[in-house]
Amino acid sequence: MTLVEEVLTQIPGDYLTTLRKSDQKWLELRQGRLTIPESVTKSETNLGEVDWDVVVTGGTLGILIAPALQRLGWRVALIERGILRGRQQEWNISRSELEVFLDLELLTDEELAQAIATEFNPVRISFTKDYQLWVRDVLNIGVDPVFLLATLKQKFLDSGGTLLENTPYQKAIAHPDGIAVYAGTNILKTRLLIDAMGHFSPISQQARKGEKPEGVCLVVGSCAKGYPENQTGDLIAAFTPIQNQCQYFWEAFPARDGRTTYLFTYLDAHPDRFSLEFLMSEYLRLLPEYQQIELSQLEFKRFLSGFFPSYRPSPLKSPWNRILFIGDSSGAQSPVSFGGFGAMVRHLKRLTLGIDEALKIDALSQRDLAWLQPYQPNVSVTWLFQRAMSVRINQSISPEQINQLMSGVFQGMDKLGDDVLKPFLQDVVQFSGLAKTLPLVNPRVVLPIIPQVGLSTLIDWSQHYLNLALYTGLYPLGQTVSPLLKYLSPRQQYYYHRQLDAWKYGAGQDFHA
């Protein structure tokens, strides 16, 4: 029996089986064997009268937007293949990002306070033993998904929303005037279908046509009791050199029932990449050194494992009319983040108001909906960071190269203060911060990344960097013409608002400390 088998089978939950199921999917992805489903078909005949304005598939992130749209007076149905409930493991986020739940009146102040399971300070960034950076109030809130989803679920139902649990999505037929959604024994006729089923949604897989992701983040971890009392966290830490053709990064956070630790790494989907089970074995091997404690002293509560693919052409735009991808289905998060909760919360208000406006004027064509998932240069520039933090399968670079680079970058940001540091740590890249940081990084740690990432990657990054500067200038300029809106048609106003959103979010100007 291996160490992974021994440890993961010592508590209830069948975590070993879950790990191996994820591993099978990861193997199929690496080998290009994922089946491309025929999930959506087109029909030239009209659907006729519809029962719903919006049908949302996928409850975990879908329950964030479904009640917001229901509150605005739309007829919304939410489909979930199982019972809609949150997981036990907290979602980490910054407090300021949670204000959107108050802005959209999805939660009261009291409910939001109750949704916060843990709060801790400070958090650490560390890549070399001689330099550590401590920051406060960044991803230091642990949200209780069980309470949050249960509360939103009840509010959705109370406001007249329809929830279909134990109702797996099967297929959809796109008609000129609506979408027929087949789920379980139900046929739901809707004006708009929102896909929130995640990275491996059959709809998004069909839209991507079997495309292999350019980047993948592998993650394993656990929550356990037995650690010494510690109310600090690690946002990102590394204490080993490059090994197994990747750099190991760590996170650690206090949790309500112990301490959560993750091991994650960035890589590509090359067929020779290692398995999640191997990464779990590395996690168990290195965890005692990382947290200065023996495995035998820990009481494991649960284990976590998964992988998060990233695609350069993102967010994903639908090839069909009346279908919109959100959350992980859209790939809207940056390639250096894992998990879609933070990205979904960041865009929740923008998507809610945009979908509301689209429904009002029936702007539901493929072209119209593409404006709701626009190009964002501040996300696209992070592809260089992903490449700089990863190693190609046959590449040979200095064992400490990534750690030295990361340490140099964060030392530069540290000198510039929280205005530069905090947006970046919350996955919001801004031109001003990036432009100030780059000159401060020692050229001796920057130059080696040129052969590491490749010239084509640098040229591509330069284009997004220039667009980031352009969007930063265009957003305030675009705001100045708002008094002229009264002279525009409703459809022109829709396009104006979407372009303004694209500049705002694409430049990281939505960030609030």
Side-chain angles (χ1 to χ4, degrees):
M1 181 179 284
T2 66
L3 179 60
V4 171
E5 292 170 335
E6 179 184 342
V7 175
L8 266 65
T9 56
Q10 68 182 226
I11 62 173
D14 212 5
Y15 292 104
L16 184 62
T17 300
T18 301
L19 172 66
R20 287 176 172 168
K21 282 182 178 179
S22 296
D23 242 344
Q24 182 60 37
K25 197 90 170 178
W26 169 225
L27 177 64
E28 291 171 358
L29 180 66
R30 299 198 315 270
Q31 294 181 345
R33 294 192 290 110
L34 284 179
T35 303
I36 303 175
E38 190 68 21
S39 176
V40 179
T41 56
K42 288 184 179 180
S43 171
E44 298 304 321
T45 62
N46 282 337
L47 183 62
E49 187 175 350
V50 298
D51 304 307
W52 311 99
D53 296 303
V54 182
V55 169
V56 183
T57 58
T60 302
L61 291 183
I63 194 59
L64 301 185
I65 199 161
L69 294 173
Q70 184 71 36
R71 278 197 73 262
L72 293 174
W74 302 110
R75 300 166 297 170
V76 182
L78 177 60
I79 299 169
E80 170 57 36
R81 65 181 177 181
I83 297 295
L84 178 53
R85 64 167 66 96
R87 64 177 189 172
Q88 291 297 319
Q89 185 61 40
E90 290 109 281
W91 285 327
N92 286 97
I93 198 166
S94 301
R95 182 177 285 276
S96 60
E97 296 176 281
L98 295 174
E99 291 178 4
V100 67
F101 291 102
L102 303 178
D103 293 343
L104 295 176
E105 299 182 10
L106 295 176
L107 297 177
T108 64
D109 289 309
E110 294 75 17
E111 289 166 338
L112 182 58
Q114 195 172 345
I116 295 174
T118 54
E119 184 170 7
F120 50 90
N121 265 310
V123 294
R124 180 180 69 141
I125 296 99
S126 174
F127 300 98
T128 59
K129 293 180 180 178
D130 57 347
Y131 174 75
Q132 294 184 345
L133 170 62
W134 293 89
V135 296
R136 297 184 64 84
D137 302 325
V138 176
L139 300 180
N140 66 313
I141 300 292
V143 172
D144 177 5
V146 175
F147 175 83
L148 177 63
L149 267 61
T151 303
L152 293 176
K153 174 180 173 178
Q154 192 57 52
K155 291 201 170 190
F156 177 59
L157 295 172
D158 290 345
S159 62
T162 297
L163 173 61
L164 300 176
E165 296 179 305
N166 294 315
T167 306
Y169 166 85
Q170 295 169 342
K171 66 176 183 178
I173 301 176
H175 298 262
D177 57 342
I179 303 281
V181 182
Y182 292 72
T185 59
N186 304 277
I187 302 176
L188 296 91
K189 298 178 180 181
T190 180
R191 295 172 60 202
L192 174 66
L193 171 61
I194 296 179
D195 177 8
M197 291 186 284
H199 290 294
F200 296 101
S201 153
I203 306 177
S204 65
Q205 281 185 289
Q206 182 180 349
R208 291 198 185 275
K209 300 178 181 178
E211 174 191 4
K212 228 179 183 182
E214 286 85 356
V216 180
C217 179
L218 296 190
V219 186
V220 296
S222 72
C223 181
K225 286 186 174 181
Y227 294 102
E229 178 66 21
N230 185 352
Q231 285 302 306
T232 69
D234 278 353
L235 196 55
I236 182 168
F239 61 92
T240 56
I242 292 168
Q243 48 194 293
N244 300 307
Q245 290 304 107
C246 67
Q247 176 67 58
Y248 293 161
F249 299 105
W250 295 79
E251 280 188 343
F253 300 109
R256 184 167 47 189
D257 51 354
R259 187 170 180 81
T260 297
T261 54
Y262 294 112
L263 168 61
F264 62 100
T265 190
Y266 302 108
L267 32 71
D268 54 29
H270 191 280
D272 294 339
R273 291 296 186 181
F274 53 69
S275 67
L276 279 166
E277 189 162 346
F278 173 80
L279 189 62
M280 182 66 82
S281 71
E282 290 289 90
Y283 168 78
L284 295 173
R285 177 177 70 86
L286 293 167
L287 182 61
E289 182 181 355
Y290 173 49
Q291 291 291 294
Q292 297 296 299
I293 194 170
E294 296 299 322
L295 293 180
S296 59
Q297 296 175 264
L298 297 176
E299 179 188 349
F300 289 102
K301 294 296 182 181
R302 53 188 171 271
F303 292 93
L304 311 110
S305 59
F307 64 98
F308 301 89
S310 298
Y311 302 84
R312 281 185 183 271
S314 291
L316 178 61
K317 294 176 175 58
S318 173
W320 307 284
N321 296 332
R322 299 181 179 274
I323 296 179
L324 176 69
F325 300 103
I326 66 168
D328 290 338
S329 296
S330 71
Q333 78 279 7
S334 89
V336 294
S337 65
F338 55 89
F341 177 67
M344 183 67 189
V345 170
R346 179 189 171 202
H347 293 279
L348 184 58
K349 187 172 183 177
R350 178 183 71 82
L351 286 170
T352 298
L353 299 182
I355 293 168
D356 176 57
E357 195 170 357
L359 288 167
K360 285 177 178 175
I361 62 171
D362 205 38
L364 303 176
S365 71
Q366 175 187 347
R367 175 178 175 271
D368 292 331
L369 293 176
W371 284 85
L372 287 167
Q373 291 293 15
Y375 161 70
Q376 297 178 60
N378 74 326
V379 172
S380 296
V381 295
T382 61
W383 273 103
L384 179 66
F385 310 152
Q386 196 272 355
R387 288 294 300 273
M389 296 164 74
S390 60
V391 185
R392 292 193 292 272
I393 195 72
N394 295 315
Q395 194 172 36
S396 178
I397 65 175
S398 169
E400 294 292 346
Q401 180 168 308
I402 294 176
N403 283 339
Q404 290 170 353
L405 173 66
M406 297 299 292
S407 184
V409 168
F410 278 100
Q411 286 184 57
M413 288 187 178
D414 191 10
K415 293 175 183 177
L416 295 169
D418 286 351
D419 289 346
V420 169
L421 191 61
K422 285 191 172 182
F424 186 83
L425 291 174
Q426 291 177 213
D427 219 13
V428 181
V429 179
Q430 298 176 328
F431 177 74
S432 59
L434 203 53
K436 292 175 184 176
T437 301
L438 293 177
L440 299 180
V441 183
N442 190 327
R444 287 182 298 177
V445 300
V446 173
L447 291 177
I449 76 165
I450 296 176
Q452 178 191 347
V453 304
L455 188 59
S456 62
T457 299
L458 282 173
I459 293 172
D460 180 69
W461 176 83
S462 298
Q463 294 172 340
H464 298 307
Y465 179 69
L466 291 175
N467 284 336
L468 180 61
L470 180 63
Y471 274 44
T472 302
L474 286 173
Y475 174 56
L477 186 63
Q479 289 178 298
T480 63
V481 302
S482 58
L484 303 177
L485 274 180
K486 59 185 178 182
Y487 300 110
L488 301 180
S489 69
R491 186 167 291 270
Q492 289 171 327
Q493 290 182 31
Y494 170 79
Y495 293 142
Y496 166 78
H497 289 144
R498 303 294 75 74
Q499 183 62 76
L500 199 62
D501 282 348
W503 289 335
K504 177 181 180 179
Y505 284 78
Q509 298 304 303
D510 59 301
F511 175 79
H512 298 288

